[in-house]
Amino acid sequence: MEVLNDILGYPNRKIYQNTDFFSFSLDSVMLANFVSIRLRDKTILDLGTGNGVIPLILSLRTNKKIVGVEIQDNLAQLAKKSVLYNHLESQISIVCSDMKDFVSSEHIESFDVITCNPPYFKVNDKNYFNQSIEKKIARHEVKITLEEILSISSKLLKNNGTFALVHRTDRLLEIFDLFRK
């Protein structure tokens, strides 16, 4: 069921969510508040934007151009609807695309800031998957791995750009190893 909610702690921002899909969590709110946005930064990209909560919060911190990329069409449509509801269509663009396909010559080294709240769990024999495909894609690396996200980000990020990621501490060493690659 589709609902319109306040974003936690932001009374002047509303977000469309669907109770059958993955809803944003405190992780997204923390990431949007944690990432550094410098005066010289002009373009921000949110990979795996879901229903667009990170771009919506970032729009309160900056007037820079923000692009959200989401593979799931139903979530991208919710994000677009929230952007329109909040009258932010001149600042925020939502692109329904696999981020692997978003890497193209026109986007290489195009972004000053990239944020990502990726799927946290690797796929293995011990996984318990939610019946909802939307929740499965949001929580588990079924469509993209962390290594692929970091590789994509390194291609899209400008030299001296900022990459901000929120993830589980039990994968911290792996994340450091992937950053070294």
Side-chain angles (χ1 to χ4, degrees):
M1 179 170 83
E2 192 173 293
V3 293
L4 180 65
N5 293 321
D6 286 327
I7 296 177
L8 302 174
Y10 301 97
N12 57 341
R13 284 292 183 266
K14 302 275 189 184
I15 189 165
Y16 281 97
Q17 298 191 97
N18 188 314
T19 55
D20 297 327
F21 303 161
F22 187 80
S23 298
F24 76 88
S25 67
L26 189 56
D27 292 349
S28 295
V29 176
M30 289 171 38
L31 176 60
N33 283 292
F34 170 79
V35 65
S36 296
I37 302 170
R38 300 166 296 196
L39 289 175
R40 68 177 186 212
D41 294 336
K42 293 183 177 28
T43 54
I44 300 168
L45 174 65
D46 183 40
L47 291 173
T49 200
N51 59 4
V53 67
I54 292 173
L56 291 171
I57 295 171
L58 288 174
S59 71
L60 292 165
R61 297 185 49 210
T62 184
N63 60 358
K64 309 300 182 178
K65 180 73 176 154
I66 304 168
V67 177
V69 175
E70 175 54 47
I71 192 170
Q72 298 184 68
D73 184 59
N74 45 15
L75 287 173
Q77 294 309 316
L78 285 176
K80 288 177 182 181
K81 196 171 179 178
S82 294
V83 168
L84 289 172
Y85 182 88
N86 290 285
H87 307 289
L88 295 167
E89 54 274 15
S90 64
Q91 182 183 11
I92 300 173
S93 302
I94 303 297
V95 177
C96 184
S97 173
D98 186 324
M99 62 181 87
K100 295 173 196 171
D101 298 332
F102 189 74
V103 178
S104 66
S105 58
E106 71 179 286
H107 296 119
I108 298 297
E109 296 184 10
S110 294
F111 297 94
D112 298 296
V113 177
I114 297 178
T115 59
C116 186
N117 182 0
Y120 289 160
F121 304 106
K122 289 184 175 190
V123 175
N124 59 45
D125 296 340
K126 299 175 186 172
N127 285 124
Y128 166 77
F129 292 117
N130 195 294
Q131 294 301 310
S132 162
I133 188 67
E134 291 85 5
K135 290 179 181 179
K136 181 179 178 182
I137 291 170
R139 293 179 180 154
H140 294 86
E141 294 179 344
V142 294
K143 293 283 187 180
I144 195 157
T145 65
L146 181 58
E147 184 170 8
E148 290 171 319
I149 290 169
L150 295 180
S151 175
I152 289 165
S153 297
S154 72
K155 293 172 186 163
L156 298 175
L157 194 62
K158 288 181 182 177
N159 195 22
N160 294 319
T162 300
F163 177 74
L165 172 80
V166 61
H167 217 293
R168 295 174 54 91
T169 56
D170 60 352
R171 293 189 66 187
L172 187 60
L173 293 177
E174 176 189 0
I175 291 168
F176 286 152
D177 286 340
L178 292 173
F179 276 139
R180 275 191 218 109
K181 284 186 177 181

